[in-house]
């Protein structure tokens, strides 16, 4: 037996460990000695045997009913832990539902807000459209009813003799409109386009599409001594008028 | 107690089978009750200690490491520490201290004369008191040999030699009782 082990065994640390009276640090030290030195291990095992034997010599009859009390408490313990888990599961389930519904409502709220902006924008657009159209109709009414309004009949030349149109020009209000009442049939790849020469510049007024809509009044940009033209162009329209295809002109 | 039964109990404990507690009780309750009584010196308190200890044993069952301690050593540690804690909490209330002293005298008489423990008492009486005191100090009071020497006013050398002889006497006693236990466990 080495001196080190002898000192250790004399220190009573092993006995303290046996009774569970050592600190964590001391316990680790003792466990190391037990693991490394067979003499210590042997002494420890002997001490354990002695302890059990000595303790048994002090055995006393435990009171009646103690066993049942203990088993009852242990069953309670088990039940309370399982109850705890039940509550824990229920609680986490509730939390999950709450989180899920929160997310659902948050999303729904976001969608509704987006839809709301969309609807508001649409209403604004419609309002603007309506204002524009109302203004247009008001102007048409002014032009058509104003005694100062001059009425010009427009007839197509040889290229489109069936073309009939009426232009209304009011130099006081500086408004002019044209109503195309009849257009000759054109091949599929051609179309009529309306132009106005204002202060020496050619302005594209667009393609005449709704031949069926005979009541439609086209607003013409007003200028003194302006000239309106109708030309035959390739389907889809042109950026500049094809001069040789002019079928009608209106001086106003 | 056979190591086979010990192993069985440990297995049941680790499976968290309630039967483990029932078996532990049948095999160790009297000894642990005796241990608790040695520390708290009161029947009711000892009963409380045993009950609390068993609940702790059940709660801590997965912390038992068979490579570090025998099952009994583990049970003993839990019971002894619970008893010491109990004593400490009771001792803070001075009223109860007197009650303990009274019941101490009364209970000691009742228990030690119960017939089923006569043989145990006989065994214990085989050990001379001077050895028993040293063994008590070591195993129950948790004194170090140095502390026992101071407390009992006996030189350290004498403590060491008395402990050695006391343990030898003890081995003689439980040597026979161990054979008995084995025979009993074989029959049952």
């Amino acid at each position: 037996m080495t001196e080190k082990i002898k000192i250790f065994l004399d220190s009573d640390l092993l006995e303290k460990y046996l009774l569970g009276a050592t600190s964590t640090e001391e316990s680790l030290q003792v466990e190391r000695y037990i693991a490394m030195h067979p003499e210590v291990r042997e002494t420890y095992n002997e001490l354990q045997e002695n302890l059990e034997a000595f303790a048994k010599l002090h055995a006393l009859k435990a009171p009646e009913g103690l066993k049942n009390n203990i088993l009852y408490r242990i069953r309670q313990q088990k039940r309370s832990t399982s109850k705890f888990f039940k509550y824990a599961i229920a609680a986490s389930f509730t939390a999950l539902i709450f989180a899920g519904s929160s997310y659902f409502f948050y999303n729904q709220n976001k969608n509704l807000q987006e839809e709301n902006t969309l609807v508001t924008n649409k209403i604004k657009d419609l309002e603007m459209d309506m204002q524009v159209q109302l203004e247009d109709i008001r102007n048409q009414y002014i032009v058509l009813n104003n005694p100062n309004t001059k009425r010009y009949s427009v007839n197509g030349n040889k290229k489109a003799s069936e073309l009939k149109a009426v232009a209304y020009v009011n130099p006081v209000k500086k408004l002019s409109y044209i109503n195309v009442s009849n257009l000759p049939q054109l091949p599929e790849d051609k179309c009529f386009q309306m132009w106005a020469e204002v202060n020496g510049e050619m302005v594209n007024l667009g393609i005449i599409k709704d031949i069926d809509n005979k009541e439609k009044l086209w607003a013409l940009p007003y200028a003194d001594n302006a000239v309106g033209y109708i030309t035959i162009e390739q389907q889809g329209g042109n950026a500049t008028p094809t001069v040789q295809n002019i079928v009608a002109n209106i001086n106003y | 107690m056979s190591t086979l039964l010990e192993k069985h109990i440990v297995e049941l404990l680790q499976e968290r089978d309630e039967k483990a507690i029932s078996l532990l009780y049948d095999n160790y309750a009297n000894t642990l009750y005796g241990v608790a009584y040695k520390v708290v010196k009161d029947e009711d308190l000892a009963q409380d200690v045993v009950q609390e200890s068993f609940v702790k044993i059940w709660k801590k069952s997965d912390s038992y490491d068979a490579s570090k301690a025998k099952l009994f050593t583990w049970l003993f540690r839990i019971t002894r520490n619970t008893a010491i804690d109990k004593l400490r909490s009771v001792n803070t209330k001075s009223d109860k201290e007197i009650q303990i002293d009274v019941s101490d005298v009364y209970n000691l008489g009742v228990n030690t004369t119960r017939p089923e423990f006569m043989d145990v008492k006989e065994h214990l009486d085989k050990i001379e008191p001077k050895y028993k005191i040293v063994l008590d100090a070591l195993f129950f009071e948790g004194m170090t040999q140095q502390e026992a020497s101071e407390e009992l006013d006996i030189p350290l050398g004498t403590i060491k030699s008395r402990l050695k002889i006391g343990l030898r006497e003890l081995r003689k006693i439980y040597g026979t009782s161990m054979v008995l236990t084995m025979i009993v466990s074989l029959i049952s």
Side-chain angles (χ1 to χ4, degrees):
Chain A
M1 199 187 290
T2 64
E3 196 60 27
K4 202 174 92 181
I5 294 167
K6 205 171 173 319
I7 290 169
F8 174 78
L9 288 177
D10 279 344
S11 72
D12 286 341
L13 213 54
L14 193 59
E15 284 86 352
K16 268 175 82 184
Y17 175 75
L18 174 77
L19 304 181
T22 42
S23 67
T24 326
E25 220 169 280
E26 286 173 329
S27 296
L28 287 173
Q29 192 197 345
V30 173
E31 278 163 15
R32 209 164 45 238
Y33 266 92
I34 291 170
M36 281 167 64
H37 307 291
E39 300 99 318
V40 178
R41 198 177 315 136
E42 210 175 288
T43 312
Y44 175 58
N45 286 337
E46 221 169 79
L47 273 172
Q48 288 196 82
E49 299 282 348
N50 288 334
L51 174 69
E52 186 165 356
F54 191 63
K56 275 189 175 155
L57 292 182
H58 293 82
L60 295 172
K61 181 91 184 73
E64 295 287 330
L66 181 57
K67 187 181 182 181
N68 281 338
N69 285 350
I70 288 169
L71 289 177
Y72 175 74
R73 275 194 59 180
I74 279 162
R75 270 177 216 135
Q76 255 185 339
Q77 189 86 38
K78 269 170 99 178
R79 209 171 304 135
S80 69
T81 40
S82 69
K83 233 185 210 169
F84 170 76
F85 279 115
K86 257 183 218 159
Y87 283 133
I89 288 166
S92 35
F93 194 65
T94 316
L96 208 71
I97 289 176
F98 181 70
S101 54
S102 298
Y103 181 72
F104 172 74
F105 287 126
Y106 165 76
N107 251 348
Q108 211 172 34
N109 188 37
K110 218 171 79 174
N111 287 342
L112 283 173
Q113 264 176 354
E114 276 168 18
E115 217 166 292
N116 189 31
T117 355
L118 221 77
V119 170
T120 320
N121 284 344
K122 239 184 195 165
I123 289 172
K124 264 190 208 158
D125 283 354
L126 281 172
E127 258 175 22
M128 282 202 346
D129 268 10
M130 262 164 64
Q131 253 172 5
V132 168
Q133 281 185 20
L134 204 72
E135 181 78 8
D136 201 37
I137 285 167
R138 209 168 61 91
N139 288 338
Q140 288 178 21
Y141 181 80
I142 290 165
V143 168
L144 294 177
N145 285 295
N146 199 291
N148 295 318
T149 299
K150 287 171 188 148
R151 188 178 176 275
Y152 301 96
S153 287
V154 181
N155 290 310
N157 59 14
K158 274 177 266 169
K159 282 178 187 139
S161 52
E162 292 160 60
L163 191 144
K164 295 255 188 295
V166 183
Y168 303 90
V169 179
N170 189 320
V172 181
K173 297 275 176 193
K174 297 187 190 305
L175 289 167
S176 40
Y177 283 89
I178 185 166
N179 168 241
V180 181
S181 53
N182 197 26
L183 281 172
Q185 205 64 35
L186 281 178
E188 281 285 293
D189 56 338
K190 304 278 192 222
C191 69
F192 290 105
Q193 199 169 348
M194 179 95 72
W195 310 86
E197 196 184 340
V198 182
N199 302 327
E201 270 186 61
M202 203 58 106
V203 180
N204 178 11
L205 298 181
I207 297 157
I208 306 168
K209 270 184 243 160
D210 317 313
I211 307 163
D212 298 333
N213 187 0
K214 298 207 159 92
E215 276 77 52
K216 187 176 161 65
L217 283 172
W218 291 66
L220 292 171
Y222 184 85
D224 291 328
N225 303 315
V227 187
Y229 297 99
I230 295 171
T231 61
I232 297 171
E233 303 291 347
Q234 292 296 315
Q235 186 65 268
N238 237 334
T240 49
T242 317
V243 180
Q244 60 269 25
N245 283 348
I246 291 173
V247 290
N249 54 0
I250 317 109
N251 292 297
Y252 57 95
Chain B
M1 147 149 322
S2 70
T3 48
L4 206 67
L5 183 59
E6 264 181 40
K7 266 188 194 163
H8 182 54
I9 292 175
V10 170
E11 275 172 15
L12 288 173
L13 266 180
Q14 269 147 9
E15 289 163 15
R16 298 205 62 74
D17 190 329
E18 224 178 82
K19 253 185 271 165
I21 293 298
S22 191
L23 277 172
L24 275 176
Y25 189 92
D26 294 343
N27 288 283
Y28 294 104
N30 290 344
T31 306
L32 295 177
Y33 181 64
V35 168
Y37 187 82
K38 275 293 267 188
V39 178
V40 297
K41 300 191 175 66
D42 175 81
E43 258 194 358
D44 289 341
L45 282 182
Q47 192 175 335
D48 285 352
V49 167
V50 171
Q51 190 166 319
E52 280 168 33
S53 301
F54 268 92
V55 173
K56 277 186 199 168
I57 288 162
W58 175 250
K59 275 190 195 165
K60 292 179 168 182
S61 55
D62 48 353
S63 75
Y64 171 67
D65 185 349
S67 70
K68 283 187 181 170
K70 285 186 67 183
L71 183 60
F72 180 78
T73 307
W74 184 66
L75 299 172
F76 177 88
R77 282 173 186 160
I78 291 173
T79 309
R80 183 176 168 275
N81 284 329
T82 307
I84 288 171
D85 288 346
K86 193 70 164 179
L87 201 58
R88 241 177 244 149
S89 75
V90 166
N91 276 350
T92 52
K93 297 165 194 164
S94 54
D95 287 357
K96 285 198 174 173
E97 233 173 316
I98 301 156
Q99 288 182 349
I100 295 162
D101 286 344
V102 172
S103 55
D104 189 7
V105 179
Y106 170 73
N107 291 330
L108 198 68
V110 173
N111 275 309
T112 43
T113 49
R114 277 185 188 165
E116 60 263 42
F117 287 101
M118 285 306 281
D119 58 333
V120 171
K121 179 143 172 44
E122 253 169 61
H123 282 315
L124 207 54
D125 285 345
K126 276 185 197 159
I127 306 172
E128 273 185 67
K130 60 179 179 182
Y131 302 131
K132 221 158 60 182
I133 287 168
V134 178
L135 288 170
D136 266 4
L138 183 71
F139 287 131
F140 292 117
E141 329 265 331
M143 283 185 213
T144 65
Q145 293 181 29
Q146 184 65 49
E147 281 166 353
S149 156
E150 283 160 18
E151 184 77 18
L152 304 169
D153 203 17
I154 303 167
L156 185 62
T158 314
I159 293 276
K160 283 186 190 294
S161 61
R162 281 187 187 175
L163 182 64
K164 217 173 265 177
I165 297 164
L167 290 174
R168 200 172 57 212
E169 294 295 308
L170 186 63
R171 229 162 292 148
K172 265 195 236 160
I173 297 164
Y174 79 72
T176 52
S177 68
M178 279 282 267
V179 173
L180 251 165
T181 332
M182 270 173 66
I183 292 168
V184 169
S185 63
L186 276 174
I187 297 165
S188 59

